[in-house]
Coordinates of all heavy atoms in Angstrom, one line a residue:
Chain A
Q5 N 53.3 335.2 142.6 CA 53.5 334.0 143.4 C 52.3 333.6 144.1 O 51.6 334.5 144.7 CB 54.7 334.2 144.4 CG 56.0 334.4 143.8 CD 57.1 334.2 144.9 OE1 56.9 333.5 145.9 NE2 58.2 334.8 144.7
P6 N 52.0 332.3 144.2 CA 50.9 331.9 145.1 C 51.4 332.1 146.5 O 52.5 331.9 146.8 CB 50.7 330.4 144.8 CG 52.0 330.0 144.1 CD 52.6 331.2 143.5
D7 N 50.4 332.4 147.4 CA 50.7 332.6 148.8 C 51.4 331.4 149.5 O 52.3 331.6 150.4 CB 49.5 332.9 149.7 CG 48.9 334.3 149.3 OD1 49.6 335.1 148.7 OD2 47.8 334.6 149.7
R19 N 56.9 315.7 150.2 CA 57.8 316.0 151.3 C 57.7 315.1 152.5 O 58.6 314.6 153.0 CB 57.5 317.5 151.7 CG 58.5 318.2 152.6 CD 58.2 318.2 154.1 NE 56.8 318.4 154.4 CZ 56.2 319.5 154.7 NH1 57.0 320.6 154.8 NH2 55.0 319.6 155.1
E253 N 68.5 322.4 160.6 CA 67.5 322.0 161.5 C 67.9 320.7 162.3 O 67.6 320.6 163.5 CB 66.2 321.7 160.7 CG 64.9 321.5 161.6 CD 64.5 322.8 162.3 OE1 64.8 323.9 161.9 OE2 63.8 322.6 163.4
V260 N 69.5 321.0 170.8 CA 68.5 321.2 171.8 C 68.2 320.0 172.7 O 68.1 320.1 173.9 CB 67.2 321.7 171.1 CG1 66.0 321.5 172.0 CG2 67.3 323.1 170.6
R264 N 68.8 319.7 176.7 CA 67.7 319.4 177.6 C 68.2 318.3 178.6 O 67.6 318.1 179.6 CB 66.5 318.8 176.8 CG 65.6 319.9 176.4 CD 64.2 319.4 176.1 NE 64.2 318.4 175.0 CZ 63.6 318.6 173.8 NH1 62.9 319.7 173.6 NH2 63.6 317.7 172.9
F275 N 69.1 325.2 180.5 CA 68.5 326.2 181.4 C 69.3 327.6 181.3 O 68.7 328.6 181.4 CB 68.6 325.7 182.8 CG 68.4 326.7 183.9 CD1 67.2 326.9 184.4 CD2 69.5 327.4 184.4 CE1 67.0 327.9 185.4 CE2 69.3 328.3 185.4 CZ 68.1 328.6 185.9
Q277 N 71.0 330.8 180.0 CA 70.8 331.7 178.8 C 71.9 331.8 177.9 O 71.8 332.1 176.7 CB 70.3 333.0 179.3 CG 68.9 332.9 180.0 CD 68.5 334.2 180.7 OE1 69.3 335.0 181.0 NE2 67.2 334.3 181.0
K280 N 70.8 328.9 175.9 CA 69.4 329.0 175.3 C 69.3 330.1 174.2 O 68.8 329.8 173.2 CB 68.5 329.3 176.5 CG 67.1 329.4 176.1 CD 66.2 329.8 177.4 CE 66.1 328.6 178.3 NZ 65.4 329.0 179.6
H281 N 69.9 331.2 174.5 CA 69.7 332.4 173.6 C 70.4 332.2 172.2 O 69.8 332.4 171.2 CB 70.1 333.7 174.2 CG 69.2 334.1 175.3 ND1 69.2 335.3 176.0 CD2 68.1 333.5 175.9 CE1 68.3 335.4 176.9 NE2 67.6 334.3 176.8
N285 N 68.8 332.1 168.4 CA 69.4 332.8 167.2 C 69.6 331.8 166.1 O 69.3 332.2 164.9 CB 70.7 333.5 167.6 CG 70.4 334.6 168.6 OD1 69.3 335.1 168.8 ND2 71.5 335.0 169.3
D291 N 65.0 329.8 160.1 CA 63.7 330.2 159.5 C 63.8 331.2 158.4 O 63.1 331.2 157.4 CB 62.8 330.7 160.6 CG 62.2 329.6 161.5 OD1 61.9 328.6 160.8 OD2 62.1 329.7 162.7
D292 N 64.8 332.2 158.6 CA 65.0 333.2 157.5 C 65.4 332.4 156.2 O 64.9 332.7 155.2 CB 66.1 334.1 158.0 CG 65.7 335.2 158.8 OD1 64.5 335.2 159.2 OD2 66.5 336.2 159.1
R294 N 65.0 329.4 155.3 CA 64.0 328.5 154.8 C 63.0 329.3 154.0 O 62.6 329.0 152.9 CB 63.3 327.8 156.0 CG 62.4 326.7 155.5 CD 61.9 325.9 156.7 NE 60.8 325.0 156.3 CZ 60.0 324.4 157.2 NH1 60.2 324.5 158.5 NH2 59.0 323.6 156.8
S295 N 62.5 330.4 154.6 CA 61.5 331.2 153.9 C 62.1 331.9 152.6 O 61.4 331.9 151.6 CB 60.9 332.3 154.8 OG 60.3 331.7 155.9
N299 N 60.7 331.2 148.8 CA 60.3 332.4 148.1 C 61.1 332.4 146.7 O 60.5 332.6 145.7 CB 60.7 333.6 148.9 CG 60.4 334.9 148.1 OD1 59.3 335.1 147.6 ND2 61.3 335.8 148.1
L314 N 66.5 336.9 144.3 CA 65.9 336.3 145.5 C 66.7 335.0 145.9 O 66.9 334.7 147.0 CB 64.5 335.9 145.3 CG 63.5 337.1 145.0 CD1 62.1 336.6 144.7 CD2 63.6 338.1 146.1
R369 N 76.3 338.4 148.2 CA 76.0 339.8 148.6 C 76.7 340.8 147.8 O 76.2 341.9 147.5 CB 76.3 340.0 150.1 CG 75.3 339.3 151.1 CD 75.4 339.8 152.5 NE 76.7 339.6 153.1 CZ 77.1 338.5 153.6 NH1 76.3 337.4 153.7 NH2 78.3 338.3 154.1
E374 N 76.0 345.0 143.7 CA 76.2 345.6 142.3 C 74.8 345.9 141.7 O 74.6 346.9 141.0 CB 76.9 344.5 141.4 CG 78.3 344.2 141.8 CD 79.2 345.4 141.6 OE1 79.3 345.9 140.5 OE2 79.8 345.9 142.6
I377 N 72.6 348.4 144.8 CA 73.2 349.7 145.2 C 73.7 350.5 144.0 O 73.3 351.6 143.8 CB 74.3 349.5 146.3 CG1 73.7 348.8 147.5 CG2 74.9 350.8 146.6 CD1 74.7 348.5 148.6
S378 N 74.4 349.8 143.2 CA 75.0 350.6 142.1 C 74.0 351.0 141.1 O 74.1 352.1 140.4 CB 76.1 349.7 141.3 OG 77.1 349.4 142.2
A380 N 70.8 351.6 141.8 CA 69.7 352.5 142.3 C 70.0 353.9 142.0 O 71.1 354.4 142.2 CB 69.6 352.3 143.8
Chain B
H6 N 46.7 329.8 146.2 CA 46.1 330.4 147.4 C 46.0 331.9 147.1 O 47.0 332.6 147.1 CB 47.0 330.2 148.6 CG 46.8 328.9 149.3 ND1 46.6 328.7 150.6 CD2 46.7 327.6 148.7 CE1 46.4 327.4 150.8 NE2 46.4 326.8 149.7
K289 N 74.5 357.1 149.3 CA 75.0 357.8 148.1 C 75.2 359.3 148.3 O 75.9 359.9 147.5 CB 73.9 357.6 147.0 CG 74.0 356.2 146.4 CD 72.9 356.0 145.4 CE 72.9 354.5 145.0 NZ 73.4 354.3 143.7
R305 N 78.6 348.3 151.9 CA 77.7 347.6 150.9 C 77.3 346.3 151.4 O 76.1 345.9 151.3 CB 78.4 347.5 149.6 CG 78.6 348.8 148.9 CD 79.7 348.7 147.8 NE 79.2 347.9 146.6 CZ 78.6 348.5 145.6 NH1 78.3 349.8 145.6 NH2 78.2 347.7 144.5
D306 N 78.2 345.5 152.0 CA 77.9 344.2 152.5 C 76.9 344.3 153.6 O 75.9 343.5 153.7 CB 79.2 343.5 152.9 CG 79.0 342.0 153.2 OD1 78.6 341.3 152.2 OD2 79.2 341.6 154.3
Q316 N 63.7 341.1 153.8 CA 63.0 340.2 152.9 C 62.7 338.9 153.6 O 61.5 338.4 153.5 CB 63.9 339.9 151.7 CG 63.3 338.9 150.7 CD 62.2 339.4 149.9 OE1 61.3 340.1 150.4 NE2 62.2 339.1 148.6
A317 N 63.6 338.4 154.4 CA 63.3 337.2 155.2 C 62.2 337.4 156.1 O 61.3 336.5 156.3 CB 64.6 336.7 155.9
Q320 N 59.0 337.2 154.2 CA 58.7 335.8 153.8 C 58.4 334.9 154.9 O 57.6 333.9 154.8 CB 59.9 335.2 153.0 CG 60.2 336.0 151.7 CD 59.0 336.2 150.8 OE1 58.1 335.2 150.7 NE2 58.8 337.3 150.1
N321 N 58.9 335.1 156.1 CA 58.5 334.4 157.3 C 57.1 334.6 157.6 O 56.3 333.7 158.0 CB 59.4 334.7 158.5 CG 60.7 333.9 158.5 OD1 60.8 332.8 158.1 ND2 61.8 334.6 159.0
R323 N 54.8 335.4 155.6 CA 54.0 334.6 154.5 C 54.0 333.1 154.9 O 52.9 332.5 154.8 CB 54.7 334.9 153.2 CG 54.1 334.1 152.0 CD 54.9 334.5 150.8 NE 54.6 333.7 149.6 CZ 55.4 333.6 148.6 NH1 56.5 334.2 148.5 NH2 55.1 332.8 147.6
R324 N 55.1 332.6 155.2 CA 55.2 331.1 155.5 C 54.4 330.8 156.7 O 53.8 329.7 156.8 CB 56.6 330.7 155.6 CG 56.8 329.2 155.9 CD 58.2 328.7 155.6 NE 59.2 329.2 156.4 CZ 59.6 328.8 157.6 NH1 59.0 327.7 158.1 NH2 60.6 329.3 158.3
A329 N 51.2 323.9 156.5 CA 52.1 322.7 156.1 C 53.6 323.1 156.1 O 54.4 322.2 156.1 CB 51.7 322.3 154.7
L330 N 53.9 324.4 156.2 CA 55.3 324.8 156.1 C 55.8 325.3 157.4 O 56.8 326.0 157.5 CB 55.5 325.8 155.0 CG 55.0 325.4 153.6 CD1 55.3 326.5 152.6 CD2 55.8 324.2 153.2
R336 N 56.2 329.1 166.2 CA 57.6 329.3 166.0 C 57.9 330.7 165.3 O 58.8 331.4 165.8 CB 58.2 328.2 165.2 CG 59.7 328.3 164.9 CD 60.2 326.9 164.5 NE 61.5 327.1 163.8 CZ 62.4 326.2 163.5 NH1 62.1 324.9 163.9 NH2 63.5 326.4 162.9
Q340 N 58.6 335.0 167.1 CA 59.8 335.7 166.7 C 59.5 337.2 166.2 O 60.4 338.0 166.1 CB 60.5 335.0 165.5 CG 61.1 333.7 165.8 CD 61.6 333.0 164.6 OE1 62.0 333.6 163.6 NE2 61.6 331.7 164.6
E397 N 65.6 339.8 175.6 CA 66.1 338.7 176.3 C 65.0 337.8 176.8 O 65.1 336.6 176.8 CB 67.0 339.2 177.5 CG 68.3 339.9 177.1 CD 68.1 341.2 176.3 OE1 67.1 342.0 176.6 OE2 68.8 341.4 175.4
R400 N 63.7 335.8 174.0 CA 64.5 334.6 173.7 C 64.3 333.5 174.7 O 64.3 332.3 174.3 CB 66.0 335.0 173.7 CG 66.4 335.7 172.4 CD 67.9 335.9 172.2 NE 68.2 336.4 170.9 CZ 68.1 337.6 170.5 NH1 67.8 338.6 171.3 NH2 68.3 337.9 169.2
N401 N 64.0 333.8 175.9 CA 63.6 332.8 176.9 C 62.3 332.1 176.4 O 62.2 330.9 176.5 CB 63.4 333.4 178.3 CG 64.6 333.7 179.0 OD1 65.7 333.3 178.6 ND2 64.5 334.5 180.1
E405 N 62.0 328.2 175.4 CA 61.2 327.3 176.3 C 60.0 326.8 175.6 O 59.7 325.6 175.6 CB 60.8 328.1 177.6 CG 62.1 328.3 178.5 CD 61.9 329.5 179.4 OE1 60.8 329.9 179.7 OE2 63.0 330.0 179.9
L408 N 61.4 325.6 171.5 CA 62.4 324.6 171.5 C 62.3 323.6 172.6 O 62.9 322.5 172.6 CB 63.8 325.2 171.5 CG 64.2 326.1 170.3 CD1 65.5 326.7 170.4 CD2 64.1 325.2 169.0
G409 N 61.5 323.9 173.7 CA 61.4 323.0 174.8 C 62.5 322.9 175.7 O 62.7 321.9 176.4
P411 N 64.6 324.0 179.2 CA 64.2 324.2 180.6 C 63.9 325.6 180.9 O 64.6 326.5 180.4 CB 65.3 323.6 181.4 CG 66.2 322.9 180.5 CD 66.0 323.4 179.2
K412 N 62.9 325.9 181.7 CA 62.5 327.2 182.1 C 63.6 328.0 182.9 O 64.2 327.4 183.8 CB 61.2 327.2 182.9 CG 60.0 327.1 182.0 CD 58.7 327.1 182.8 CE 57.8 328.2 182.6 NZ 57.4 328.9 181.6
S413 N 63.7 329.3 182.6 CA 64.8 330.0 183.3 C 64.4 330.5 184.6 O 65.2 330.9 185.5 CB 65.1 331.3 182.4 OG 65.8 330.9 181.3

Side-chain angles (χ1 to χ4, degrees):
Chain A
Q5 291 196 29
D7 286 348
R19 192 263 321 263
E253 190 68 25
V260 162
R264 273 202 297 246
F275 166 89
Q277 291 170 342
K280 183 181 287 177
H281 290 188
N285 292 344
D291 282 323
D292 276 8
R294 187 173 170 192
S295 297
N299 177 48
L314 299 178
R369 287 195 299 276
E374 294 294 301
I377 299 179
S378 298
Chain B
H6 277 227
K289 285 176 185 254
R305 290 163 73 86
D306 193 58
Q316 173 75 316
Q320 297 307 324
N321 275 327
R323 174 179 170 201
R324 180 159 64 85
L330 301 180
R336 179 163 160 167
Q340 293 175 26
E397 290 67 37
R400 285 189 166 82
N401 284 348
E405 291 156 21
L408 293 177
K412 279 179 114 41
S413 288

